[in-house]
Amino acid sequence: MESTLGNALVLLAIGMITVFLILALVVISGNILIKIVNKYAPEPTKKLTRASRSATGTAPEVIAAITAVVETVTGGHGKVERINKIDK
Amino acid sequence: MESTLGNALVLLAIGMITVFLILALVVISGNILIKIVNKYAPEPTKKLTRASRSATGTAPEVIAAITAVVETVTGGHGKVERINKIDK
Amino acid sequence: MESTLGNALVLLAIGMITVFLILALVVISGNILIKIVNKYAPEPTKKLTRASRSATGTAPEVIAAITAVVETVTGGHGKVERINKIDK
Amino acid sequence: MEVLNKLYEMTAFGAIGEDPLTLVMLALALFLLYLGIGKRFEPLLLVPIAFGVLLANFPGGHMSVTPSTEIIEHMTILEIAKEHGIMNMLYYMLIKTGLLPPLIFMGVGAMTDFGPMLRNLKLAFFGAAAQIGIFTVLISAVALGFSLKEAAALGIIGGADGPTAIYTAIKLAPHLLGPIAIAAYSYMALVPVIIPLVVKYTISEKELKINMKEQDKLYPSKVKIKDLHRTKIIFPIVLCAIVSILVPSSVPLVGMLLFGNLIKEIGSDTNRLMVAASETIMNAATIFLGLTVGATMTAATFLDKTTLLIILGGFIAFAISIFGGIMAVKVHNLFSKKKINPLIGATGLSAVPMASRVANDIALKYDSKNHLLQYAMSSNISGVIGSAVAAGVLISFLS
Amino acid sequence: MEVLNKLYEMTAFGAIGEDPLTLVMLALALFLLYLGIGKRFEPLLLVPIAFGVLLANFPGGHMSVTPSTEIIEHMTILEIAKEHGIMNMLYYMLIKTGLLPPLIFMGVGAMTDFGPMLRNLKLAFFGAAAQIGIFTVLISAVALGFSLKEAAALGIIGGADGPTAIYTAIKLAPHLLGPIAIAAYSYMALVPVIIPLVVKYTISEKELKINMKEQDKLYPSKVKIKDLHRTKIIFPIVLCAIVSILVPSSVPLVGMLLFGNLIKEIGSDTNRLMVAASETIMNAATIFLGLTVGATMTAATFLDKTTLLIILGGFIAFAISIFGGIMAVKVHNLFSKKKINPLIGATGLSAVPMASRVANDIALKYDSKNHLLQYAMSSNISGVIGSAVAAGVLISFLS
Amino acid sequence: MEVLNKLYEMTAFGAIGEDPLTLVMLALALFLLYLGIGKRFEPLLLVPIAFGVLLANFPGGHMSVTPSTEIIEHMTILEIAKEHGIMNMLYYMLIKTGLLPPLIFMGVGAMTDFGPMLRNLKLAFFGAAAQIGIFTVLISAVALGFSLKEAAALGIIGGADGPTAIYTAIKLAPHLLGPIAIAAYSYMALVPVIIPLVVKYTISEKELKINMKEQDKLYPSKVKIKDLHRTKIIFPIVLCAIVSILVPSSVPLVGMLLFGNLIKEIGSDTNRLMVAASETIMNAATIFLGLTVGATMTAATFLDKTTLLIILGGFIAFAISIFGGIMAVKVHNLFSKKKINPLIGATGLSAVPMASRVANDIALKYDSKNHLLQYAMSSNISGVIGSAVAAGVLISFLS
Ligand code: NA
Ligand code: NA
Ligand code: NA
């Protein structure tokens, strides 16, 4: 029984150390990653637009336009869930 | 062979009794259910609207509006299959 | 080793003969099929229209109309991926 | 020369020469494809079944289902796939286990609306009478020499419900699965022919003109549903409890049907589950069910007298079920002031919503204002419950 | 008379009479349905779980999961289906193998946006402190007599992550799967109640008014993301490498989460995969997970003291995790000029995005301009990684 | 101290230190991710394959596929999952059984349009010549010391069809599955590089300028399709019969392809099946195929001379297949007044529709009015049938 409690305490130590260690590494390497990617990123303005559209493949202005139409038609109750583009 | 036929007759009896019994219970308990739910249902008019919209999460007038637009555009050949709402 | 090479050569012969034979049969029977179907096909103009709409169940003019609307709204970036009809 | 010889051995010509009945099966596959595509008989199932027959009957393709043996039933999935091919793998994993029919029932539930049934609850009772075809054909089949299990699997065709028929066949007489599935789905497709045929000889013109809406005005029902949404959510749970306590062996079918219905009625909160049940799982299950059921039909297993008797018996079971439903309404009308159109009994069959549409069309032919679709849907949907319950009774006693 | 006797034997009345505790389970199922439908507690999982409990507890339906034995673990799928029914087939194929939680994690990944975390990377660190509830409850459970494995599976409820809790329970204490899943999902649904409760006793009004945006203006971060798209593609790969090398046993969870995230971030090139991960596979997996986990709960396995202790222990683990996150922020604030709102620590729990929304609402109550949702999301998402890592550690040492 | 020691043992550092080649595999995974994401080489398959390599090569994650042994082949699914992890479970259930490639072929069929092939049926013949790379590389590989089975699996890369290559490798040389899949998909992605390369050295400018539309006007074809819809429905059935009778062992691939095509061409009646085949099943199968194939590649199985020879041999097989197609057209042109652009031969390769687009682009470079896409699609699609038939021949003789 006692040794089980001992094991539980060891688990507490190892578990919390690991979790803290990993999330510390995530923070550090995430920052390094951002710096490296920034270094190779082209002029920020153009790039940021490209980045934000790539998730759905549709430019934000277009999304805004479609959303506006749908909201007008539906009185704000319908929402655009996804806009798919087809292959050319 | 004869006992097989006998068994088949027993099955006929049990089967039809069960089916009639169950559907009778469905009718009875369905009526009881309706009465109980009615008892706790708020003012009917408002509630019915809420009920009918909850299936798709969209109010009937909105559906009618969307449907009308699509029918106009498609000359009555396209139909609105489903209107999804996204989480806020 | 030698007999393995021999087997490989036999495979080359059988494989290429089979592939040529099958694709020749495909060409021949495809032509026969087209002729047979043509024989029983009604007046071509009407039929071709029916054929082209059956894939999506929507007439081409309707598709054109919907597509035009969507393209206008999305500035050409959104495309109509599929038009479904619901059962009556 | 040796090359040509080997080439010949690779082909299916030799095997077809040895067993020319295979050609009959290929012709049958083409005929079923014609029914499914050209005649539009339940294409969602007949097309995959027919293609399964086609694939199964090219010897050497290893795409036919091997009849069950002690050995194969204890093999692992990989062993079955390696020795008997992927079609057997799918069959022994999805069909023989009885998995797909309950999954399809879940999808059916997610597409079923109990609204019409709740609005005309009394009519649901007539879904019971239309199960009589199941049991009368069972008795006849026993008299003709079928075993009790086979007879029950044959009789269930009269329930007019595809997944129920397949589930019962899997449980009681898996060797008859192919012809039973074909018969069930073919006759379901033929409902627009069979119902008018039976109606013609059993219902008088005066009865056909009974107008349900006018009867409702004359003798209005006391119960009005005030909160349909909430009622429709609680109803499948109540229904599940009733059926499960009385006939537990029907739970895999009825329970899954009602689970599917519940996640549909809850609405947007469980929309993802509803989509999975009624589309993702349903559509994939339909493909695999069709192909594997088709692949059970080879010359050796299909072409015998039994198949003919099943095709014949299935038709009779259908007809008697319709007849039973009609008679039950007639008996009711003898004792009640509020008359019911006997067509409502005919739709107790199942085959939702085809049977109701056919009944509606017949009624309109005699009186262009007599729309009884919503009434017919009540007994129609209850017929699905009815035949699943009947299947549960049969499985409970015979398996 | 004989007919009536047989009829009675077919029903579940006899079995229920023998084991009336079954009625308690049925009542529990109805209560869970009420929570899921009426109270909207995580309906996507509680409704299938509750219906699974319902189906499992009608004796004779063969829809309950049989507790694992040496024999059943070595049976083929078909053998399990034939002897124990399809629910056991699904359980032993999808749950007992540990397959579904990683598949669900893949779907979660395909729906997760690491953007808020990348924009406030430092806050991700507080996702670590909120795992303390897992280990403290583990110790308490051991003290109460649970085995180490059971205690670990109980403690993981404090990770506030459903699939992680289920995965850990499968690996360490499968006999406790049912109550652990119920507790995990119920408390996740109760996050809007539990977080305010803990906050009330631990965070002062002055702390609650700390405005993250103003702190950002006072002490601006040096790093600005110039190419978010590319960063979000590389980040899951880096994250996967870090976690996999340090805690390889968490790869089935974390690796699949990050794969799902990667195919989402790539965009249109892998859109088909994203749809499969976040909809097709995710939705079907949710149905099967819910039904089978529910079906593990029968009177014999569920109704004992252990279940009560799990329900209680799970609550404590939740509360301590929130407390741990809050304390870590307070310690940080002692040493740093740039202050962090302790609510950011409370959201280290997991339960994305519910915890963040709750924290945001609390902050807005004290200062209507203090929007901290984006900040909370950072520790919130890192809390998911944190609890998966904690699960990996436990599995690595105890299985 | 003891804690730190245990902590170290939990990590993968020790295992990586013992087998540093693992790092090479991790680097390979990153390189494949770069090809798939950055270079957009067949991302739908290369990304999951690459991630599979990544997951498999973190020691301790239990996510690598264990090479097949007598013992593992006879274990049940649960036994495999418990002893070897979920990746092996998926591999032995979905890949080793040969299930996924036919399912993917069903999806490919549901996305294939035989219209261009039917309109230029004669050109389909050139899909045969482009299989020569398969058999010539087979012979070379045998000469280099590969076994016949291995040589056949290597040669099939020249068929330029991913699922066919994987299916053949599973049946004939499963230990080479990883590199064969990588080579097949990489070269398919490199078609825009390889075709121009071969074309440059084999087709003269005069030949490249042959305008198919003008040839059609000069020598018009006698057959005009009057009812394309009906023709496209019957064609897959006829095609299935021809292939199945002559090469039954290709039925699992070709039969499923044509079933997929049939349910697409029927239209709205079988729309649900088409969606299941081309989306639900296809997308999920692609994820599982990619991840598990990737997971077969560990340092021990991948890093040897054989892999290099496969990468090299695959390239040669590709090039010879393109060469064969081109030569067949040249021979045709010697004997016919109606000339065919040799680019049509080059697209006999498969790799639909990439090869056709590349050929079209080359033709347009030499004559901006020479659109031959529709013509190229005919031999391109027939190349898929051609390589599936070649695979059937090889499997039939060697397995
Ligand atoms: Na019925
Ligand atoms: Na957590
Ligand atoms: Na090819």
Side-chain angles (χ1 to χ4, degrees):
Chain A
M1 182 66 193
E2 199 178 305
S3 82
T4 312
L5 256 179
N7 283 332
L9 284 166
V10 171
L11 271 176
L12 165 69
I14 293 180
M16 290 309 289
I17 290 172
T18 310
V19 173
F20 271 109
L21 187 66
I22 281 185
L23 286 177
L25 282 172
V26 167
V27 173
I28 294 165
S29 59
N31 274 318
I32 295 171
L33 169 66
I34 291 173
K35 278 172 196 158
I36 293 174
V37 173
N38 279 355
K39 210 169 164 183
Y40 296 98
E43 347 70 276
T45 39
K46 198 181 145 243
K47 208 61 207 173
L48 271 168
T49 315
R50 194 182 161 281
S52 64
R53 57 186 293 180
S54 61
T56 66
T58 312
E61 320 85 64
V62 177
I63 294 174
I66 298 178
T67 308
V69 169
V70 170
E71 292 212 346
T72 310
V73 170
T74 64
H77 287 276
K79 290 222 175 81
V80 173
E81 200 170 11
R82 188 181 301 164
I83 298 165
N84 288 322
K85 270 173 106 171
I86 49 165
D87 287 354
K88 280 138 271 174
Chain B
M1 180 69 191
E2 200 177 307
S3 82
T4 312
L5 256 179
N7 283 332
L9 284 165
V10 171
L11 272 175
L12 167 69
I14 292 179
M16 290 309 289
I17 290 171
T18 310
V19 173
F20 271 108
L21 188 66
I22 281 185
L23 287 177
L25 282 173
V26 167
V27 173
I28 294 164
S29 58
N31 274 318
I32 296 171
L33 169 66
I34 291 171
K35 278 171 198 158
I36 293 174
V37 174
N38 281 354
K39 209 167 163 184
Y40 297 98
E43 345 71 274
T45 38
K46 196 181 147 249
K47 207 62 203 171
L48 272 168
T49 315
R50 194 183 160 284
S52 64
R53 60 185 291 181
S54 61
T56 66
T58 312
E61 322 85 62
V62 177
I63 295 174
I66 298 177
T67 309
V69 169
V70 170
E71 292 212 347
T72 310
V73 171
T74 65
H77 288 274
K79 292 221 174 82
V80 174
E81 201 169 9
R82 188 181 300 161
I83 298 164
N84 288 324
K85 270 173 106 171
I86 49 165
D87 287 351
K88 280 139 272 172
Chain C
M1 180 70 192
E2 201 177 304
S3 81
T4 313
L5 257 180
N7 282 332
L9 285 165
V10 170
L11 271 175
L12 166 69
I14 293 179
M16 290 309 289
I17 290 172
T18 310
V19 173
F20 272 109
L21 188 65
I22 281 185
L23 287 178
L25 282 172
V26 166
V27 173
I28 294 165
S29 59
N31 273 317
I32 295 172
L33 169 65
I34 292 172
K35 278 172 196 157
I36 292 174
V37 173
N38 280 354
K39 210 168 162 181
Y40 296 99
E43 346 71 273
T45 39
K46 197 183 146 243
K47 208 61 203 174
L48 273 168
T49 314
R50 193 183 163 281
S52 65
R53 61 185 288 182
S54 60
T56 65
T58 312
E61 320 86 62
V62 176
I63 294 174
I66 298 177
T67 308
V69 168
V70 170
E71 293 211 347
T72 310
V73 169
T74 65
H77 288 274
K79 292 220 174 82
V80 173
E81 202 170 11
R82 188 182 298 163
I83 299 164
N84 288 321
K85 272 174 102 171
I86 48 164
D87 287 352
K88 278 139 273 176
Chain D
M1 216 57 250
E2 190 211 12
V3 167
L4 285 181
N5 215 26
K6 283 194 172 178
L7 225 162
Y8 176 79
E9 273 166 26
M10 179 185 70
T11 70
F13 288 120
I16 291 176
E18 273 172 41
D19 187 2
L21 283 177
T22 298
L23 293 173
V24 178
M25 294 309 293
L26 293 176
L28 173 73
L30 295 180
F31 176 66
L32 290 173
L33 281 174
Y34 170 73
L35 291 183
I37 304 169
K39 289 284 168 192
R40 307 179 73 176
F41 276 21
E42 299 275 336
L44 279 178
L45 265 133
L46 275 199
V47 171
I49 289 179
F51 216 92
V53 177
L54 201 67
L55 295 179
N57 284 282
F58 290 115
H62 285 285
M63 293 289 265
S64 67
V65 170
T66 311
S68 184
T69 63
E70 262 301 302
I71 294 168
I72 204 170
E73 294 216 350
H74 296 288
M75 286 163 78
T76 68
I77 287 178
L78 178 56
E79 289 164 354
I80 294 178
K82 288 191 108 177
E83 267 190 49
H84 301 283
I86 56 168
M87 205 58 110
N88 275 291
M89 168 188 169
L90 291 172
Y91 176 80
Y92 280 96
M93 206 172 136
L94 302 177
I95 304 295
K96 188 80 182 176
T97 53
L99 180 66
L100 288 193
L103 293 188
I104 288 178
F105 251 61
M106 177 169 70
V108 169
M111 293 189 289
T112 297
D113 179 6
F114 280 118
M117 184 162 155
L118 281 166
R119 272 187 291 268
N120 298 285
L121 252 179
K122 216 179 97 186
L123 302 179
F125 192 66
F126 296 102
Q131 311 311 322
I132 189 77
I134 296 173
F135 298 100
T136 45
V137 164
L138 188 166
I139 294 172
S140 322
V142 164
L144 280 168
F146 280 87
S147 79
L148 258 178
K149 287 183 181 190
E150 291 171 337
L154 164 49
I156 205 77
I157 298 172
D161 189 275
T164 300
I166 288 174
Y167 188 75
T168 312
I170 293 166
K171 294 283 173 191
L172 298 179
H175 57 292
L176 303 181
L177 178 57
I180 285 172
I182 288 285
Y185 282 104
S186 301
Y187 293 138
M188 281 163 70
L190 282 170
V191 153
V193 177
I194 304 177
I195 287 186
L197 192 78
V198 179
V199 164
K200 191 175 156 188
Y201 295 106
T202 51
I203 314 186
S204 71
E205 196 175 323
K206 192 185 150 204
E207 285 170 318
L208 286 171
K209 284 183 175 165
I210 294 173
N211 187 313
M212 301 296 291
K213 278 183 196 154
E214 282 173 16
Q215 293 290 319
D216 261 1
K217 278 179 204 153
L218 286 172
Y219 311 96
S221 141
K222 275 156 279 171
V223 190
K224 289 275 166 275
I225 303 172
K226 288 186 193 159
D227 187 346
L228 185 61
H229 176 52
R230 205 164 288 179
T231 308
K232 279 163 91 176
I233 286 178
I234 303 175
F235 186 62
I237 302 170
V238 173
L239 204 51
C240 183
I242 293 172
V243 175
S244 303
I245 287 175
L246 287 173
V247 191
S249 52
S250 67
V251 170
L253 288 178
V254 179
M256 292 303 271
L257 179 93
L258 296 169
F259 173 66
N261 187 252
L262 177 66
I263 55 181
K264 176 199 151 220
E265 294 300 347
I266 290 173
S268 54
D269 276 357
T270 50
N271 184 269
R272 281 180 157 268
L273 305 181
M274 193 269 275
V275 171
S278 64
E279 293 175 21
T280 309
I281 296 173
M282 180 78 172
N283 297 351
T286 307
I287 284 189
F288 292 127
L289 184 84
L291 285 177
T292 48
V293 165
T296 62
M297 288 184 260
T298 56
T301 61
F302 189 82
L303 295 176
D304 62 7
K305 206 189 66 179
T306 310
T307 299
L308 277 180
L309 286 174
I310 288 169
I311 301 292
L312 184 70
F315 181 82
I316 295 170
F318 248 72
I320 296 177
S321 283
I322 297 167
F323 176 78
I326 291 169
M327 283 304 134
V329 175
K330 290 195 175 203
V331 171
H332 167 274
N333 285 351
L334 286 182
F335 298 98
S336 167
K337 265 190 289 181
K338 184 176 182 176
K339 304 298 180 197
I340 296 173
N341 192 315
L343 284 168
I344 304 299
T347 59
L349 188 67
S350 290
V352 185
M354 177 86 85
S356 295
R357 283 191 204 153
V358 170
N360 193 47
D361 289 349
I362 298 175
L364 289 176
K365 216 190 290 171
Y366 288 87
D367 173 359
S368 64
K369 287 180 183 165
N370 193 4
H371 296 272
L372 50 69
L373 187 72
Q374 289 300 311
Y375 300 91
M377 283 302 285
S378 179
S379 61
N380 208 173
I381 294 167
S382 93
V384 177
I385 310 285
S387 37
V389 166
V393 172
L394 295 173
I395 291 167
S396 164
F397 279 91
L398 299 175
S399 74
Chain E
M1 215 54 248
E2 186 211 15
V3 167
L4 283 182
N5 216 25
K6 283 193 172 180
L7 225 162
Y8 176 78
E9 274 165 26
M10 178 185 70
T11 70
F13 288 119
I16 291 176
E18 274 170 42
D19 186 3
L21 283 177
T22 299
L23 293 173
V24 178
M25 294 308 293
L26 294 175
L28 174 72
L30 295 180
F31 176 66
L32 290 174
L33 281 174
Y34 169 73
L35 290 185
I37 303 171
K39 290 283 169 190
R40 308 179 75 176
F41 277 20
E42 299 276 333
L44 281 178
L45 265 133
L46 275 198
V47 171
I49 288 179
F51 216 91
V53 178
L54 202 68
L55 295 180
N57 284 282
F58 290 114
H62 285 285
M63 294 289 264
S64 67
V65 170
T66 310
S68 184
T69 62
E70 262 302 302
I71 294 168
I72 203 170
E73 294 216 352
H74 297 287
M75 286 164 78
T76 67
I77 287 178
L78 179 55
E79 289 165 353
I80 293 177
K82 288 190 107 176
E83 266 189 51
H84 301 282
I86 55 168
M87 206 58 109
N88 276 290
M89 169 188 170
L90 291 171
Y91 176 79
Y92 281 95
M93 208 171 135
L94 302 177
I95 304 294
K96 189 80 182 172
T97 54
L99 181 64
L100 288 193
L103 293 187
I104 288 178
F105 251 61
M106 177 168 71
V108 169
M111 294 189 288
T112 297
D113 180 7
F114 280 119
M117 184 163 156
L118 281 165
R119 272 188 291 269
N120 298 286
L121 253 178
K122 217 178 96 186
L123 302 178
F125 191 66
F126 297 102
Q131 311 311 323
I132 189 77
I134 297 173
F135 298 99
T136 43
V137 164
L138 190 165
I139 294 173
S140 322
V142 164
L144 279 169
F146 280 87
S147 78
L148 258 178
K149 289 185 178 190
E150 291 172 337
L154 164 48
I156 205 74
I157 297 172
D161 189 275
T164 300
I166 288 174
Y167 188 74
T168 311
I170 294 166
K171 293 285 173 188
L172 298 179
H175 57 292
L176 303 180
L177 179 56
I180 285 172
I182 288 286
Y185 282 104
S186 300
Y187 294 138
M188 281 163 69
L190 282 171
V191 152
V193 177
I194 304 177
I195 287 186
L197 193 76
V198 178
V199 164
K200 191 174 158 188
Y201 295 107
T202 52
I203 313 186
S204 71
E205 195 175 324
K206 192 186 150 203
E207 285 171 318
L208 286 170
K209 283 184 175 167
I210 294 175
N211 187 314
M212 301 297 291
K213 276 183 196 155
E214 282 173 16
Q215 293 290 320
D216 262 359
K217 277 181 204 153
L218 285 173
Y219 312 95
S221 141
K222 278 155 277 172
V223 192
K224 289 274 168 275
I225 302 172
K226 288 187 193 159
D227 187 345
L228 185 61
H229 176 51
R230 205 164 288 177
T231 308
K232 278 162 92 176
I233 286 177
I234 303 175
F235 186 63
I237 302 170
V238 172
L239 205 51
C240 183
I242 293 172
V243 175
S244 303
I245 288 175
L246 289 173
V247 193
S249 52
S250 67
V251 170
L253 289 178
V254 180
M256 292 303 272
L257 178 92
L258 295 169
F259 173 66
N261 187 252
L262 178 66
I263 56 181
K264 176 202 153 219
E265 293 301 345
I266 289 174
S268 54
D269 277 356
T270 50
N271 185 266
R272 282 179 156 267
L273 304 181
M274 194 269 275
V275 172
S278 64
E279 293 175 20
T280 309
I281 295 173
M282 179 78 171
N283 297 351
T286 306
I287 284 189
F288 291 128
L289 184 84
L291 286 178
T292 48
V293 165
T296 61
M297 288 183 262
T298 55
T301 62
F302 189 84
L303 295 176
D304 61 9
K305 205 189 66 179
T306 311
T307 299
L308 277 180
L309 287 174
I310 288 170
I311 301 292
L312 184 70
F315 180 82
I316 295 169
F318 248 70
I320 295 178
S321 284
I322 297 168
F323 176 77
I326 291 170
M327 283 304 135
V329 174
K330 291 194 174 205
V331 170
H332 168 274
N333 285 352
L334 286 181
F335 299 97
S336 167
K337 264 190 290 182
K338 185 174 181 177
K339 304 298 181 198
I340 296 172
N341 193 315
L343 284 167
I344 304 300
T347 60
L349 188 69
S350 289
V352 185
M354 177 85 87
S356 296
R357 283 190 205 153
V358 171
N360 192 47
D361 289 350
I362 297 175
L364 288 175
K365 216 188 290 169
Y366 289 86
D367 172 0
S368 64
K369 285 179 185 168
N370 193 4
H371 296 272
L372 50 68
L373 188 72
Q374 290 300 312
Y375 300 90
M377 283 300 286
S378 179
S379 61
N380 207 175
I381 295 167
S382 92
V384 177
I385 310 285
S387 38
V389 166
V393 172
L394 295 172
I395 291 166
S396 165
F397 279 92
L398 298 175
S399 75
Chain F
M1 214 57 248
E2 187 211 14
V3 167
L4 285 182
N5 216 26
K6 282 194 173 180
L7 225 163
Y8 177 78
E9 273 166 27
M10 178 185 71
T11 70
F13 289 119
I16 290 176
E18 274 173 41
D19 187 2
L21 284 177
T22 298
L23 292 173
V24 178
M25 294 308 294
L26 294 176
L28 174 73
L30 295 180
F31 176 65
L32 290 173
L33 281 174
Y34 169 72
L35 291 184
I37 304 170
K39 290 284 168 189
R40 307 179 74 176
F41 277 20
E42 299 275 336
L44 281 177
L45 265 133
L46 276 197
V47 171
I49 289 179
F51 217 91
V53 177
L54 203 67
L55 296 179
N57 285 282
F58 289 115
H62 285 285
M63 294 289 265
S64 66
V65 170
T66 310
S68 183
T69 61
E70 263 300 301
I71 294 167
I72 204 171
E73 293 216 351
H74 296 288
M75 285 163 79
T76 67
I77 286 178
L78 180 55
E79 289 164 354
I80 293 177
K82 288 190 109 177
E83 267 189 51
H84 300 282
I86 56 169
M87 205 58 108
N88 276 290
M89 168 188 171
L90 292 171
Y91 176 79
Y92 282 94
M93 207 172 136
L94 302 177
I95 304 292
K96 189 80 182 173
T97 54
L99 181 64
L100 288 194
L103 292 188
I104 288 178
F105 250 61
M106 177 168 71
V108 169
M111 293 189 288
T112 298
D113 180 6
F114 280 118
M117 184 163 155
L118 282 165
R119 272 188 292 268
N120 299 284
L121 252 179
K122 219 178 94 186
L123 301 179
F125 192 65
F126 296 102
Q131 311 312 322
I132 189 76
I134 297 173
F135 298 99
T136 44
V137 164
L138 189 166
I139 294 173
S140 322
V142 164
L144 280 169
F146 280 88
S147 78
L148 259 177
K149 288 185 180 189
E150 291 172 337
L154 163 48
I156 205 75
I157 298 172
D161 189 274
T164 300
I166 288 174
Y167 188 74
T168 312
I170 294 166
K171 293 285 172 188
L172 299 179
H175 56 294
L176 303 181
L177 178 57
I180 285 173
I182 288 285
Y185 282 104
S186 300
Y187 293 138
M188 282 164 68
L190 282 171
V191 152
V193 177
I194 305 177
I195 287 186
L197 192 77
V198 179
V199 163
K200 190 173 157 189
Y201 295 106
T202 52
I203 314 186
S204 71
E205 197 177 322
K206 195 186 146 200
E207 286 172 317
L208 286 171
K209 283 183 174 165
I210 295 174
N211 188 314
M212 302 296 291
K213 277 183 195 154
E214 282 173 16
Q215 294 289 321
D216 261 2
K217 278 180 203 152
L218 286 173
Y219 312 96
S221 141
K222 276 156 279 173
V223 190
K224 290 272 168 275
I225 302 171
K226 289 186 192 158
D227 187 345
L228 185 61
H229 176 52
R230 206 164 287 178
T231 308
K232 278 162 93 176
I233 286 178
I234 303 174
F235 187 63
I237 302 170
V238 173
L239 204 52
C240 184
I242 293 172
V243 175
S244 303
I245 288 175
L246 287 173
V247 192
S249 52
S250 66
V251 169
L253 288 178
V254 180
M256 293 304 272
L257 179 92
L258 296 168
F259 173 66
N261 188 252
L262 178 66
I263 55 182
K264 175 200 153 218
E265 293 300 345
I266 289 173
S268 55
D269 276 357
T270 50
N271 185 267
R272 282 179 156 269
L273 305 181
M274 194 269 275
V275 171
S278 64
E279 293 176 20
T280 309
I281 296 173
M282 179 77 171
N283 297 351
T286 306
I287 284 189
F288 292 128
L289 184 83
L291 286 178
T292 49
V293 165
T296 62
M297 288 184 260
T298 55
T301 62
F302 189 82
L303 294 176
D304 62 8
K305 208 189 62 180
T306 311
T307 298
L308 277 181
L309 287 174
I310 288 170
I311 301 292
L312 184 71
F315 181 81
I316 296 170
F318 248 71
I320 296 178
S321 284
I322 298 168
F323 176 77
I326 290 170
M327 284 304 134
V329 175
K330 291 195 175 205
V331 170
H332 168 274
N333 284 353
L334 286 182
F335 298 97
S336 165
K337 265 191 290 184
K338 184 174 182 176
K339 303 299 182 196
I340 295 172
N341 192 316
L343 284 168
I344 304 300
T347 59
L349 188 69
S350 293
V352 185
M354 177 86 84
S356 296
R357 282 188 205 156
V358 171
N360 192 47
D361 289 349
I362 298 176
L364 288 176
K365 216 191 289 172
Y366 288 87
D367 173 359
S368 65
K369 286 179 182 166
N370 193 3
H371 296 272
L372 48 69
L373 187 73
Q374 289 300 310
Y375 300 90
M377 284 300 288
S378 178
S379 59
N380 207 174
I381 296 167
S382 91
V384 177
I385 310 286
S387 38
V389 165
V393 172
L394 294 173
I395 291 167
S396 165
F397 279 91
L398 299 176
S399 77

